[in-house]
Amino acid sequence: IIRSRGINGKVDVWSAEGVGTEIKVTFTAEAVEDSSKSNCDAELIKFYDDLKRPTISLVGFDDSHRGVQLLRSVLSTYIVSRWNFIISEDSKTSDILIVNEEIQPVLDAIEAKDPEKPFIILSSARGDPRLMTVIKEYERIGGYCRIVYKPVGPCRLRAALKLCLHALNISKSRIITSSDKQTLASISSQST
């Protein structure tokens, strides 16, 4: 399809043993403005403006591997350019933590009995029982945590961020109760 006359694209493949394979597909396409995307983004921006623009930290993106750095770059573009959030390098002072393939920050929060910050864990391990146990324990102490499975696109990340903003909003007025968790779970199921 890529090499058909109408598309006139090309495919490049690079591979190295022990490093992996990179596949690059290039073709010309016309950019189309997605009005539903703009409306959803505007809704997210309006919601966090009420919270005085919470800061976000990206944790677990220190690996120099090209894939990890590309993921960080794409997430930063969504977070800063598209949604106007502020990325903080200091995870201790930020409001929301987006964690790449690590559960240690959540374990540290559980150990410190500090459920204040919502977490988004980016994971490629679907159904990992250890991860699910850690999330359950964090939520048991009153925290809020969601998994976004890779590949991470703007819609799923936006939905998770919106839920984190709801959790922040609720926690500003009081500790999250079980009925609040049910409300967040209901919102979560509606946005997926």
Side-chain angles (χ1 to χ4, degrees), residues 53 106 115 168:
R53 299 209 183 218
V106 183
L168 276 175

Side-chain angles (χ1 to χ4, degrees), residues 66-82:
R66 184 169 182 231
V68 173
Q69 292 310 305
L70 283 172
L71 178 59
R72 180 184 178 86
S73 174
V74 168
L75 291 177
S76 297
T77 299
Y78 293 156
I79 292 166
V80 175
S81 300
R82 188 167 176 171

